[in-house]
Amino acid sequence: MTPTLTPLTEAARAAIRERLARTGRTQIDGVLAPADAQALYDAATRVDYNVVTRRGTGHVDLPAAWLASLTPDQKQALGQAVQVSAQTDFQYLYDNHPIYDLVQAGQAAPIWADLLAFLNGEAFLGLMRDVTGESRLALADAQLTRYRAGHFLTEHDDHAEGKNRFFAYVLNLTPAWRIEWGGLLAFHGADGNVAEAFTPRFNTLNLLKVPTPHSVTQVALSAAADRISVTGWLRGR
């Protein structure tokens, strides 16, 4: 399945450009044909996810089968260790399905291989070059992320030496989300306040310039859905 972009008027493109140039962040509502966004969401609810977090100073992938083998006490200890480290260090806890890596290994399901091809096709990258004004955008990587109750991502700015990341993107897929469920993409102001926060609205593409200090607020225990998105970076060669 190759997704279809919803056409944008020149006035809409101009408004997106202006907001991105002024604030370093913007949203494109209804970016895909609604049926395509729904199909991606439906597929995303059926894939196998790893849990990702940090130990010490490095990223770790925790396979679902390994987590299932832990005793309840071991799971509780692991969760407590993650929460404690988040008090002072960069930390995260969420579920990941590594689309880009699976495509590179020839192991991705067709729907995700088609999605990555779409994200790297001229229709999408051409739109991204147009609204960002960045002509050097040459590729997009991608992963599925699923934030369940208690999941979070602390402050960071997405800069990674040698990765040539110009913009981060988040394609939100959960059909309905309430603000009080958390999982907000929060932008950190220099004054210590939240400068702005984006709700993960269905079929909305969030764009943010790299580097931009931001976080994903913890998903509330009362959340009635998982926060599912396709996320990645728009990069140069």
Side-chain angles (χ1 to χ4, degrees):
M1 183 199 85
T2 300
T4 301
L5 285 171
T6 300
L8 288 175
T9 65
E10 182 50 43
R13 290 178 182 238
I16 292 165
R17 289 187 206 106
E18 187 279 330
R19 194 179 197 280
L20 189 56
R22 176 169 47 86
T23 67
R25 52 188 179 266
T26 194
Q27 295 181 291
I28 304 177
D29 294 321
V31 65
L32 301 180
D36 293 344
Q38 184 66 48
L40 290 172
Y41 170 75
D42 292 342
T45 64
R46 298 190 296 266
V47 304
D48 294 325
Y49 288 90
N50 297 318
V51 175
V52 296
T53 187
R54 286 176 66 83
R55 284 182 178 171
T57 59
H59 171 91
V60 291
D61 291 274
L62 307 176
W66 179 80
L67 286 169
S69 72
L70 300 181
T71 66
D73 286 346
Q74 288 172 324
K75 291 178 182 178
Q76 182 178 22
L78 176 62
Q80 288 176 340
V82 170
Q83 298 292 333
V84 169
S85 68
Q87 294 175 2
T88 55
D89 301 324
F90 172 51
Q91 183 57 283
Y92 46 82
L93 180 66
Y94 59 89
D95 298 336
N96 158 276
H97 183 76
I99 295 172
Y100 184 84
D101 292 345
L102 290 171
V103 170
Q104 295 296 106
Q107 298 173 351
I111 190 170
W112 306 120
D114 289 347
L115 176 63
L116 188 66
F118 163 77
L119 294 171
N120 284 277
E122 187 53 36
F124 181 76
L125 282 182
L127 173 63
M128 294 299 99
R129 294 186 196 104
D130 180 50
V131 298
T132 65
E134 180 51 77
S135 62
R136 294 173 292 176
L137 298 183
L139 64 95
D141 52 27
Q143 62 175 327
L144 275 173
T145 61
R146 182 180 66 180
Y147 285 73
R148 294 178 285 123
H151 286 182
F152 64 90
L153 171 61
T154 63
E155 182 181 359
H156 63 293
D157 65 13
D158 279 343
H159 174 72
E161 197 66 37
K163 295 289 189 179
N164 295 323
R165 295 172 177 173
F166 292 114
F167 291 87
Y169 74 87
V170 182
L171 172 60
N172 299 297
L173 295 177
T174 302
W177 195 265
R178 296 175 60 171
I179 292 172
E180 58 266 34
W181 292 352
L184 306 181
L185 180 60
F187 299 97
H188 297 211
D191 60 358
N193 288 317
V194 176
E196 190 173 19
F198 290 166
T199 304
R201 298 197 307 268
F202 175 67
N203 198 19
T204 295
L205 184 74
N206 297 334
L207 286 174
L208 52 148
K209 189 175 179 62
V210 176
T212 295
H214 63 284
S215 61
V216 176
T217 65
Q218 190 166 56
V219 175
L221 298 179
S222 58
D226 295 331
R227 180 192 185 273
I228 295 178
S229 306
V230 177
T231 67
W233 293 274
L234 304 175
R235 297 163 46 188
R237 295 290 184 188

